[in-house]
């Protein structure tokens, strides 16, 4: 059972939260649904595909900071980029329409091409995007193990806990680099855990993130 709830505000600048805008987007990964609101009123609902458990769609409040066209067949005819600190994520079309309604992407939000064209024309740059869910994944499953090279909100959460405890000195940016590994190993040694630099269920439990 998870003890930690969202959003994960590891540092003042993360995640990038914006005030309510005229147009806003809500993404519900568990329902594979994207909702567009205008001044709070629901005006569109689209089916989507989201990230698989090993490359989850980032949870939190973000903003559309880039709009582009025709990035290639895999991204469909339109791309709406989000200001996720640890990687390039966006809302885009797809050449795999069968994936819509499933957890099959590498973290981005896929839409039918006709839908993403409509969304692209509808919402302006700066629009708020809220992605719902739990930073550690679905509460009924154990969170994923984390190691150097991983990225995501769960990495950011671990960095924040390590920083609060005085082990991590860097920026909580959601990128698991060598500095995070070093801090984690020291934490593990001091808490009688195997100092292997991997965030396992025992580490989550020791940090009070699950029970």
């Amino acid at each position: 059972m998870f003890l930690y709830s969202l959003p994960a505000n590891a540092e003042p600048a993360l995640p990038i939260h914006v005030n309510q805008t005229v147009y806003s987007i809500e993404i519900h990964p568990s329902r594979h649904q994207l909702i567009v609101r205008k001044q709070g009123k629901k005006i569109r609902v689209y089916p989507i595909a989201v990230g698989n458990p090993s490359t989850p769609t980032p949870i939190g409040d973000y903003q559309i900071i880039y709009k582009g066209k025709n990035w290639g067949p895999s991204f469909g005819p339109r791309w709406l980029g989000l200001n996720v600190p640890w990687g390039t994520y966006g809302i885009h079309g797809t050449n795999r329409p069968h994936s819509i309604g499933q957890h099959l992407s590498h973290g981005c939000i896929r839409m039918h091409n006709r839908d993403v064209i409509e969304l692209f024309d509808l919402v302006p740059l700066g629009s708020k995007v809220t992605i719902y869910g739990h930073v550690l994944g679905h509460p009924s499953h154990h969170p994923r193990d984390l190691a150097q090279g991983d990225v995501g909100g769960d990495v950011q959460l671990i960095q924040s806990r390590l920083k609060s405890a005085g082990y991590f000195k860097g920026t909580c940016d959601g990128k698991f680099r060598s500095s995070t590994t070093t801090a984690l190993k020291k934490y593990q040694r001091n808490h009688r855990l195997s100092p292997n630099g991997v965030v396992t269920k025992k580490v989550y439990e020791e940090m009070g993130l699950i029970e």
Side-chain angles (χ1 to χ4, degrees):
M1 176 181 175
F2 292 127
L3 299 179
Y4 189 81
S5 59
L6 288 177
N9 295 316
E11 294 191 342
L14 298 175
I16 288 48
H17 180 82
V18 292
N19 294 326
Q20 187 65 43
T21 49
V22 173
Y23 286 92
S24 61
I25 293 173
E26 296 176 2
I27 293 171
H28 299 270
S30 63
R31 303 205 303 258
H32 302 101
Q33 194 174 79
L34 184 153
I35 298 172
V36 182
R37 295 184 183 275
K38 183 177 181 181
Q39 295 180 328
K41 182 180 179 180
K42 184 189 299 185
I43 61 171
R44 298 284 193 283
V45 180
Y46 300 107
I48 56 173
V50 293
N52 63 59
S54 61
T55 56
T57 296
I59 304 303
D61 292 324
Y62 304 103
Q63 190 173 25
I64 295 174
I65 57 170
Y66 178 80
K67 295 174 72 175
K69 298 181 179 181
N70 301 317
W71 275 26
S74 296
F75 301 103
R78 300 291 186 273
W79 168 276
L80 295 90
L82 306 177
N83 58 342
V84 179
W86 52 83
T88 303
Y89 295 87
I91 303 167
H92 61 79
T94 182
N95 59 355
R96 299 178 180 177
H98 62 274
S99 68
I100 304 299
Q102 302 184 65
H103 285 71
L104 283 180
S105 82
H106 291 99
C108 287
I109 297 94
R110 296 179 187 170
M111 302 180 69
H112 287 297
N113 289 337
R114 64 180 181 275
D115 291 343
V116 79
I117 289 173
E118 182 175 82
L119 181 68
F120 184 96
D121 293 338
L122 184 63
V123 299
L125 286 171
S127 296
K128 180 181 178 180
V129 177
T130 299
I131 304 176
Y132 289 92
H134 198 292
V135 71
L136 296 182
H138 195 279
S140 64
H141 300 96
H142 292 309
R144 62 175 181 159
D145 288 355
L146 300 172
Q148 192 164 321
D150 287 328
V151 298
D154 44 7
V155 174
Q156 185 188 38
L157 175 57
I158 294 298
Q159 290 173 325
S160 179
R161 287 301 172 98
L162 289 171
K163 192 165 190 174
S164 296
Y167 293 93
F168 182 61
K169 306 300 181 183
T171 300
C172 300
D173 58 4
K175 299 177 182 179
F176 203 131
R177 299 191 177 100
S178 59
S179 57
T180 303
T181 301
T182 299
L184 176 60
K185 286 182 176 180
K186 185 175 180 181
Y187 177 90
Q188 289 170 321
R189 283 192 294 269
N190 289 349
H191 290 79
R192 300 179 183 276
L193 300 172
S194 176
N196 57 7
V198 178
V199 180
T200 60
K201 180 185 176 183
K202 288 186 178 181
V203 174
Y204 285 114
E205 290 174 343
E206 185 66 32
M207 291 184 172
L209 298 173
I210 62 172
E211 62 178 18

